[in-house]
Amino acid sequence: VGVFYALLNNRAGPTTDARVREALSISVDRDLICNTLLRGEGEPAYSIVPAAMPDYQGASIPMATQSMDERRARARTLLAEAGYSAANPLSVTYKFGGQESNRRVAVALQSMWRDIGVNAVLENVGGNSIVADARNGNYQAMRYQYYAPYQDPVAFLLLMQSEANINFSFFN
């Protein structure tokens, strides 16, 4: 069981602001990415713990039932509260590497974020430096993947535990 996600740096850059992270997250059309770009390979993820995890009852995620128009409106509000506007647009660099599907997803994210007033600069770093950049915090946003070494929700929840050595978002 695994999850592909946009890793957002909590320690450096504009993504240190929780409003920016939420705006970037809720503006992503997960259904479009999974069902169209990735041609049905996987399910849209609204939680760090995949729906395929046996015996896990996750929390209700409000954005999962909201329309994209509602989510984009909320994202624009959050960015405005964080001090971003047409006169002062948010710019964020998104790193990706590896397969062609990663490039397609990066371009889709760039477009989705543009819809809320964000300038996403795409940086193809190749597959080899993604893990090193994640470990070192050398990113603002990046495409990342994680596969659980065992079938327990804790394997995914550790991605957000402050002291965990796999917490590459530096969430605390």
Side-chain angles (χ1 to χ4, degrees):
V1 178
V3 65
F4 295 84
Y5 60 106
L7 187 62
L8 303 175
N9 194 330
N10 283 252
R11 206 187 279 167
T15 52
T16 59
D17 190 317
R19 297 168 296 192
V20 169
R21 293 191 307 272
E22 183 180 352
L24 293 173
S25 177
I26 65 177
S27 63
V28 173
D29 188 338
R30 291 154 172 79
D31 294 306
L32 176 83
I33 290 172
C34 286
N35 299 327
T36 303
L37 291 179
L38 301 178
R39 299 175 181 99
E41 294 178 21
E43 296 179 30
Y46 289 92
S47 168
I48 196 70
V49 180
M53 181 57 67
D55 302 322
Y56 180 69
Q57 202 65 338
S60 174
I61 309 293
M63 77 167 155
T65 59
Q66 294 174 330
S67 72
M68 282 308 303
D69 287 338
E70 291 172 304
R71 289 164 47 186
R72 281 189 287 268
R74 170 81 177 135
R76 288 184 197 104
T77 298
L78 288 165
L79 290 175
E81 289 173 2
Y84 297 102
S85 65
N88 180 36
L90 170 64
S91 184
V92 64
T93 300
Y94 179 82
K95 291 185 173 187
F96 67 97
Q99 305 168 355
E100 169 60 19
S101 60
N102 295 338
R103 186 198 64 76
R104 287 195 316 263
V105 170
V107 170
L109 290 176
Q110 184 180 48
S111 175
M112 292 170 193
W113 290 340
R114 184 181 310 117
D115 287 346
I116 61 166
V118 175
N119 175 34
V121 177
L122 303 182
E123 186 177 341
N124 187 341
V125 296
N128 294 334
S129 72
I130 288 290
V131 174
D133 285 348
R135 257 186 225 288
N136 297 325
N138 184 23
Y139 70 95
Q140 292 177 339
M142 72 171 12
R143 181 238 181 254
Y144 205 74
Q145 67 188 31
Y146 177 77
Y147 292 96
Y150 47 90
Q151 288 215 5
D152 189 312
V154 170
F156 289 96
L157 296 172
L158 286 172
L159 293 168
M160 298 293 131
Q161 185 183 37
S162 299
E163 301 82 25
N165 66 352
I166 58 172
N167 178 2
F168 298 144
S169 69
F170 310 109
F171 180 79
N172 187 358

